[in-house]
């Protein structure tokens, strides 16, 4: 990729930073084909194996807004503002969606309840048995402009709970970890005057740190670790708006593919180091392909979800000055919501809707069988 394209990418990349408070790397790649939508509503059958003594009983979650279920500051984060949560459970819960997010679907697949957010651990003691969610929207493997714990600190939290005997070695033995890195580190790189020529070295640095984090979580005693690939950042509505939500940005997706290639190599290396090679310890959850499958309206095995205009978000600001959830000084809404959130793949400028996540989850079934 030449420097001119990289510079173009880097300028686009940071355009959304001031309003995101969630996933920060932006833009679009693929294409928007119009179809009639056939959307399965909330309450879908999620699949998953029968619960047995060998099934994981706890889920530990690390990362950002794609998996956060309520750790960000209330009410500062927009995930705690209406209309977030209007589909499920009917009010904001700290999820960056109109309803459920990836964490909820993976938990259902594992036949456990979605783990309690770390922030609420002292008021939800009865839910500790399902694991814990340490993810904070807006964070990355390194520090971002969001004053919330990065992934290393999130892992520190689990280590401290083990030290306090909140979780035992036996608890960890029957657990799965979910790790999400959706691109916030790259927004910070651009904001701090990162050079166009430095993108690929920085991507390498990010993936190397992610590998350190994966190895560390495994060292704490978690036997199965699921890590997400980068979604097609070039297909986020924050960038497809430039084409009236009709076309993704292929240049950005080229860099995403570089990240995902390095991550695939890291996961393969980590698995080669595990003594018991009978099954994969580190599992790469292919968000890139599953997003593209949903955006291209391919059939999925569970819900036959179709989206009329998959690149167009449901909840948007009334102008470029505003975003989903913004209100004026007198409480007036500065955003609009589509007539049917269930017919939209994207909820806001960067986050999938509940049905969007369900479509992604449906496309991930082959990946999940490794659990």
């Amino acid at each position: 990729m030449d420097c001119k394209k990289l510079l173009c990418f880097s300028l686009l990349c940071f355009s959304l930073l001031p309003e995101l408070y969630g996933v920060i790397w932006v833009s679009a790649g693929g294409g928007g084909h119009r179809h009639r939508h056939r959307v399965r509503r909330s309450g879908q059958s999620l699949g998953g194996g029968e619960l047995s003594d060998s099934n994981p009983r706890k889920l530990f979650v690390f990362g950002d807004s794609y998996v956060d279920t309520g750790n960000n500051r209330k009410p500062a984060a927009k995930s705690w503002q209406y209309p977030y949560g209007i589909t499920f459970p009917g009010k904001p819960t700290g999820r960056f969606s109109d309803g459920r997010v990836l964490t909820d679907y993976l938990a259902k697949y594992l036949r456990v309840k979605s783990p309690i957010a770390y922030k609420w651990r002292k008021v939800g003691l009865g839910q500790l048995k399902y694991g814990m969610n340490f993810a904070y929207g807006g964070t990355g493997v390194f520090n971002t402009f969001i004053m919330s714990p990065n992934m290393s600190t999130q892992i520190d939290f689990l280590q401290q709970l083990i030290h306090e005997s909140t979780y035992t070695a036996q608890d960890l033995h029957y657990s799965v970890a979910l790790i999400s890195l959706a691109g916030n580190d790259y927004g910070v790189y651009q904001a701090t005057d990162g050079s166009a020529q430095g993108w690929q070295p920085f991507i390498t640095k990010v993936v190397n740190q992610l590998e350190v984090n994966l190895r560390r979580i495994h060292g704490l005693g978690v036997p199965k670790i699921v890590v997400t690939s980068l979604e097609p950042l070039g297909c986020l509505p924050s960038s497809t708006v430039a084409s009236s939500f009709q076309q993704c940005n292929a240049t950005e997706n080229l860099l995403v593919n570089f990240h995902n290639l390095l991550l695939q190599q890291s996961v393969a290396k980590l698995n080669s180091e595990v003594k018991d090679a009978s099954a994969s310890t580190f599992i790469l959850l292919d968000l890139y392909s599953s997003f593209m499958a949903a955006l291209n309206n391919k059939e999925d095995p569970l819900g036959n979800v179709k989206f009329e205009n998959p690149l167009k978000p449901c909840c948007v600001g009334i102008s470029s000055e505003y975003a989903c959830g913004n209100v004026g000084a007198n409480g007036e809404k500065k955003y609009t919501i589509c007539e049917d959130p269930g017919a939209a793949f994207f909820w806001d400028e960067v986050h999938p809707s509940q049905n969007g996540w369900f479509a992604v989850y449906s496309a991930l079934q082959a990946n999940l069988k490794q659990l």
Side-chain angles (χ1 to χ4, degrees), residues 153-170:
T153 304
Q154 295 172 25
I155 300 170
D156 289 342
F157 292 157
L158 175 58
Q159 190 166 9
Q160 180 62 27
L161 292 176
I162 295 170
H163 177 73
E164 296 170 356
S165 299
T166 301
Y167 293 111
T168 66
Q170 184 76 353

Side-chain angles (χ1 to χ4, degrees), residues 286-305:
D286 190 359
L287 286 196
Y288 188 95
S289 295
S290 57
F291 265 61
M292 295 305 293
L295 293 174
N296 289 324
N297 292 283
K298 295 178 181 177
E299 293 291 334
D300 69 81
L302 295 182
N304 294 319
V305 180

Side-chain angles (χ1 to χ4, degrees), residues 5-246:
K5 286 184 177 179
L6 280 168
L7 181 58
C8 175
F9 168 82
S10 61
L11 291 173
L12 284 168
C13 173
F14 186 56
S15 63
L16 194 61
L17 183 61
E19 63 188 39
L20 236 182
Y21 204 35
V23 178
I24 295 179
W25 216 25
V26 301
S27 272
H33 304 289
R34 298 183 65 83
H35 297 269
R36 282 190 176 277
H37 60 265
R38 291 184 288 118
V39 183
R40 185 177 293 233
R41 304 301 169 194
S42 54
Q44 302 100 327
S45 174
L46 300 182
E50 293 299 320
L51 187 64
S52 69
D53 289 340
S54 64
N55 281 111
R57 301 303 181 99
K58 290 178 174 58
L59 176 62
F60 296 104
V61 184
F62 306 88
D64 46 43
S65 61
Y66 272 24
V67 292
D68 183 7
T69 56
N71 275 315
N72 278 94
R73 296 193 309 277
K74 181 180 181 180
K78 68 179 184 179
S79 56
W80 286 106
Q81 300 168 5
Y82 185 87
Y84 287 82
I86 61 169
T87 298
F88 169 81
K91 62 181 180 180
T93 61
R95 290 167 170 82
F96 289 80
S97 174
D98 64 312
R100 296 173 177 85
V101 295
L102 181 60
T103 297
D104 302 301
Y105 287 110
L106 182 60
K108 188 71 174 181
Y109 184 86
L110 296 173
R111 305 293 189 184
V112 299
K113 288 189 177 180
S114 197
I116 190 169
Y118 175 76
K119 177 180 179 179
W120 306 106
R121 66 194 183 282
K122 293 183 179 178
V123 295
L125 295 177
Q127 297 183 52
L128 298 182
K129 61 185 177 181
Y130 305 114
M132 193 168 291
N133 190 328
F134 300 96
Y136 284 76
T139 63
V141 294
F142 303 122
N143 289 334
T144 65
F145 296 121
I146 304 304
M147 301 302 293
S148 296
N150 66 24
M151 195 178 295
S152 295
T153 304
Q154 295 172 25
I155 300 170
D156 289 342
F157 292 157
L158 175 58
Q159 190 166 9
Q160 180 62 27
L161 292 176
I162 295 170
H163 177 73
E164 296 170 356
S165 299
T166 301
Y167 293 111
T168 66
Q170 184 76 353
D171 291 329
L172 273 293
H173 182 70
Y174 292 103
S175 71
V176 168
L178 170 62
I179 292 85
S180 168
L181 188 147
N184 294 312
D185 296 285
Y186 299 123
V188 173
Y189 174 78
Q190 166 58 23
T192 52
D193 299 320
S195 69
Q197 296 89 341
W199 273 110
Q200 292 191 4
F202 183 70
I203 291 172
T204 301
K205 182 180 177 182
V206 168
V207 174
N208 285 345
Q209 181 59 47
L210 184 55
E211 180 182 316
V212 169
N213 293 344
L214 296 175
R215 186 177 281 108
R216 185 178 168 205
I217 293 169
H218 182 249
L220 291 176
V222 179
K224 287 282 185 181
I225 299 172
V226 180
V227 58
T228 63
S229 68
L230 265 184
E231 73 279 10
L233 298 173
C235 295
L236 302 182
S238 51
S239 194
T240 62
V241 63
S243 64
S244 299
F245 308 110
Q246 295 301 310

